[in-house]
Amino acid sequence: MSVNAASRWDPAAYASTAAFVPALGAPVLALLAPREGERILDVGCGDGVLTERLVAAGASVVGVDASPEMIAAATARGLDARMADAQALAFEAEFDAAFSNAALHWMLDPPAVARGVFAALKPGARFVGEMGGEGNIATLRRALRATVAEMGYAPPADDPQWYPSLREFTGVYADAGFEAIKAELIERPTPLPSGVREWFRTFRVGFLDAAGVPEAERDERDELASRAAARAEAALPRDASGVVLADYVRLRFQMRKPA
């Protein structure tokens, strides 16, 4: 099992450019409704911003993430955050709930993730979360792929993320043994206050690695990111203040392990 090489993160850049990710995770936290004394697994905890909120609710939380940089940022917050590939979890029936926000789409062996989370939960425990769903950031992805090719590089044949349909998602988790699976796709036009260029520079570092774009060409000017941003911005709407709205589609879910 190998971790997705396209999932590469800089915690400082993430905090400045992607603060909207944990901020918009509030409805998923409300759906989870963590209770005092519960033991909760945070799958793909990142820098721990939402993990802290689970702890603040009185839960005992273990966060796992495959990024050493993100784990360092999470542990700096005083959290129990552990380096782990969520495609190879080793927990056995020890959690009252599992939670995940904006992480599962980076894991390219979904059945392995589903089986690992299932095994980690106690009988009757719940799994609640949100991820990118079918059609997520389609305009941004097209713009980057076209620009990478235009500049003479070879984009990966497939985007290295899993943005499933409802049928595909529920099938994977039903096969793992979960029941009472409820999932919905939510179109969520998302303001990018730092701009599309900085979004590319934060969220698609690994994609550029896979396309063979040299680090030396990703300086402060970063012509590739600028050209991709201009292409995307021409196709995306803006809010009343002129901020570009990215075409996010979220897949929000809840399910249970049979009692």
Side-chain angles (χ1 to χ4, degrees):
M1 187 96 43
S2 61
V3 174
N4 185 352
S7 180
R8 183 157 76 87
W9 304 101
D10 176 337
Y14 191 88
S16 64
T17 303
F20 65 87
V21 175
L24 294 173
V28 194
L29 278 177
L31 189 62
L32 177 68
R35 297 186 289 273
E36 187 170 357
E38 284 192 311
R39 185 162 170 78
I40 298 177
L41 176 64
D42 187 349
V43 183
C45 65
D47 60 4
V49 172
L50 283 179
T51 318
E52 279 188 320
R53 294 182 61 180
L54 297 174
V55 173
S60 170
V61 186
V62 174
V64 296
D65 202 283
S67 165
E69 294 82 7
M70 287 300 212
I71 287 295
T75 54
R77 298 175 184 273
L79 299 168
D80 182 355
R82 310 176 189 180
M83 269 284 297
D85 180 358
Q87 300 165 121
L89 294 172
F91 303 106
E92 290 292 336
E94 64 176 276
F95 294 97
D96 302 295
F99 171 79
S100 186
N101 183 63
L104 295 185
H105 49 259
W106 292 102
M107 304 168 196
L108 302 183
D109 190 347
V113 177
R115 291 191 299 268
V117 174
F118 186 87
L121 293 174
K122 298 174 182 177
R126 66 202 185 280
F127 182 27
V128 174
E130 188 173 287
M131 63 180 292
E134 184 176 33
N136 188 53
I137 54 169
T139 301
L140 292 171
R141 289 155 56 203
R142 281 194 301 268
L144 183 60
R145 180 173 289 278
T147 305
V148 164
E150 179 179 270
M151 294 186 71
Y153 300 105
D158 298 309
D159 284 351
Q161 293 86 33
W162 183 53
Y163 297 134
S165 66
L166 292 177
R167 181 177 181 179
E168 183 182 7
F169 177 85
T170 55
V172 166
Y173 280 85
D175 287 347
F178 284 97
E179 65 180 14
I181 302 171
K182 297 179 182 178
E184 60 178 328
L185 287 175
I186 302 168
E187 292 189 11
R188 191 195 71 193
T190 301
L192 301 182
S194 297
V196 175
R197 178 178 179 272
E198 291 309 307
W199 187 95
F200 282 132
R201 288 166 57 87
T202 298
F203 285 92
R204 287 301 183 266
V205 174
F207 183 90
L208 298 181
D209 292 344
V213 180
E215 289 280 357
E217 295 198 13
R218 307 181 210 177
D219 57 14
E220 291 183 0
R221 292 175 294 107
D222 202 340
E223 181 185 356
L224 193 154
S226 296
R227 286 169 64 171
R231 181 178 252 125
E233 288 168 0
L236 289 168
R238 296 176 182 265
D239 66 14
S241 62
V243 174
V244 171
L245 297 172
D247 50 342
Y248 273 70
V249 178
R250 313 318 281 165
L251 193 158
R252 188 174 297 169
F253 62 86
Q254 57 182 311
M255 62 189 77
R256 286 192 175 272
K257 181 173 181 174

